[in-house]
Amino acid sequence: MSAQNQPKPSDTKEKKSLTLQQKSFLISGAAHMLIVVSLLVSFKFSAAPVDLATGNKDTQAPNIIEATFIDSNVIEQNKREKQQSEAAAQRKQDQEAVNKRKEAERKKQERDTADKVKRKKAADAKKQKEEQVRTERELQQKARLAQEKAQQQEIEKARQDKADQERALRDNAMQEKMQLEQADRNERRQRQILSELQIANSKIKARIEQNLIQTGSIAGKSCRLRLRIASNGLVLDAVGTGDESLCLALRTAAMKAGTLPMPSNKDVNEKLRDTTLVYEN
């Protein structure tokens, strides 16, 4: 065979392609015919044998032919309904599951809320009890501190009272001692003043007697001569009580003396400014 007589690859491929197209067309046409027939025809054949003698149908004879044609759309319809039913059932089941979950969550939330309220009540009760215990402890502490303070104050007061008593005893003892010492000093001073006063009176009396002019007997006569004397010894006044002649003579002698001897001791000098001399014979 020559190269010219051999079929070309493109021709072979084209013939093969046409054959496939023809097959596809035939299959498609057959499918459409089947669908059309199934849509248009749905019937059932049944035949009953006839009795030739009587002309009646034999009711006892079995069905000879029974044929049923089912529409594919019905199948699809049933399939869709089944799927819809299953989907509805699934949705219902899912909804029931959601409802159960929500109910469980609600109950859980209620339990959690109840537990929270219970815990809060317990915490509040515990806090209140702790606060009460703390308050009682504070009151006890305050009472104890107040008692200790009162006891300390009593101890301090007792110590202070004792110290005051001891100080008062010391002060009294000191005061008594000072008073005794002062009394002793005063007594010694008084004795000294009296002694000096007696000496001064004796000197003044002697000075007056030196100036006394006796005009008669003075035997058995007496006179109390009261003198007022200045601090320098000057006789300011002289008044006698007793024998008139004697008192007159003594007064004249005192006034004549002019300046009487006065002691340098201030206290003695003060006492001699108003003194009384007694003359008895």
Side-chain angles (χ1 to χ4, degrees):
M1 182 178 294
S2 64
Q4 295 177 353
N5 296 328
Q6 291 181 356
K8 297 180 180 179
S10 60
D11 297 336
T12 305
K13 185 177 180 180
E14 184 179 355
K15 290 180 179 181
K16 186 176 180 180
S17 176
L18 292 174
T19 303
L20 291 175
Q21 291 178 357
Q22 291 176 358
K23 289 181 178 182
S24 298
F25 179 76
L26 291 174
I27 294 171
S28 178
H32 282 83
M33 289 296 294
L34 181 60
I35 292 172
V36 171
V37 171
S38 63
L39 290 173
L40 297 177
V41 180
S42 178
F43 62 91
K44 180 178 179 181
F45 291 99
S46 64
V50 179
D51 190 354
L52 298 175
T54 60
N56 298 326
K57 293 181 179 182
D58 188 359
T59 59
Q60 300 297 322
N63 294 331
I64 302 302
I65 298 172
E66 183 176 5
T68 303
F69 295 94
I70 302 175
D71 191 351
S72 61
N73 289 333
V74 174
I75 297 174
E76 288 294 328
Q77 180 81 20
N78 292 335
K79 184 177 180 181
R80 285 194 299 273
E81 291 178 354
K82 183 178 180 182
Q83 291 176 349
Q84 293 175 356
S85 177
E86 290 177 352
Q90 185 64 37
R91 287 193 299 273
K92 182 178 180 182
Q93 186 177 358
D94 294 342
Q95 186 62 38
E96 289 177 352
V98 170
N99 293 337
K100 288 182 179 179
R101 185 171 65 254
K102 289 183 178 180
E103 182 66 16
E105 291 177 355
R106 185 185 65 79
K107 291 182 178 180
K108 182 178 180 300
Q109 186 176 4
E110 289 180 353
R111 289 194 302 271
D112 293 342
T113 302
D115 292 341
K116 185 177 180 180
V117 171
K118 185 177 180 180
R119 287 194 300 270
K120 187 176 183 302
K121 288 183 178 179
D124 292 342
K126 182 180 179 181
K127 183 178 179 181
Q128 184 177 3
K129 186 175 181 181
E130 291 176 351
E131 183 68 18
Q132 184 177 1
V133 171
R134 185 182 66 80
T135 303
E136 291 178 355
R137 287 179 179 175
E138 289 180 353
L139 292 175
Q140 292 176 358
Q141 180 72 6
K142 290 181 179 179
R144 184 179 63 81
L145 292 176
Q147 184 177 4
E148 291 178 355
K149 184 177 180 181
Q151 292 176 351
Q152 187 64 29
Q153 289 177 347
E154 289 179 358
I155 294 173
E156 183 64 22
K157 185 176 183 300
R159 187 189 66 79
Q160 187 65 36
D161 291 343
K162 184 178 180 181
D164 292 342
Q165 291 176 358
E166 292 177 352
R167 184 169 56 254
L169 291 174
R170 289 194 303 269
D171 293 343
N172 291 335
M174 182 64 68
Q175 188 69 23
E176 290 177 359
K177 182 179 179 181
M178 291 175 63
Q179 289 176 355
L180 291 174
E181 291 177 352
Q182 184 66 32
D184 184 60
R185 287 193 298 270
N186 292 337
E187 185 178 357
R188 290 197 303 268
R189 187 171 183 79
Q190 288 297 325
R191 286 197 301 266
Q192 182 180 358
I193 292 173
L194 287 175
S195 177
E196 292 181 3
L197 186 60
Q198 289 176 357
I199 294 172
N201 279 331
S202 297
K203 290 180 178 180
I204 292 172
K205 188 175 181 181
R207 175 68 63 84
I208 292 173
E209 286 179 351
Q210 288 177 359
N211 296 317
L212 180 63
I213 300 175
Q214 298 181 3
T215 59
S217 176
I218 61 173
K221 296 179 180 180
S222 63
C223 179
R224 296 176 63 84
L225 184 63
R226 181 180 179 184
L227 299 172
R228 288 196 308 111
I229 308 171
S231 60
N232 59 359
L234 179 65
V235 178
L236 301 176
D237 191 13
V239 178
T241 303
D243 183 78
E244 183 177 355
S245 60
L246 179 59
C247 289
L248 179 60
L250 289 172
R251 180 178 183 282
T252 301
M255 298 300 293
K256 185 179 179 181
T259 301
L260 299 175
M262 296 292 288
S264 60
N265 188 307
K266 183 178 179 180
D267 293 333
V268 178
N269 189 298
E270 184 71 25
K271 286 184 177 296
L272 284 174
R273 293 180 186 179
D274 189 353
T275 185
T276 300
L277 299 177
V278 178
Y279 291 88
E280 291 180 349
N281 295 302

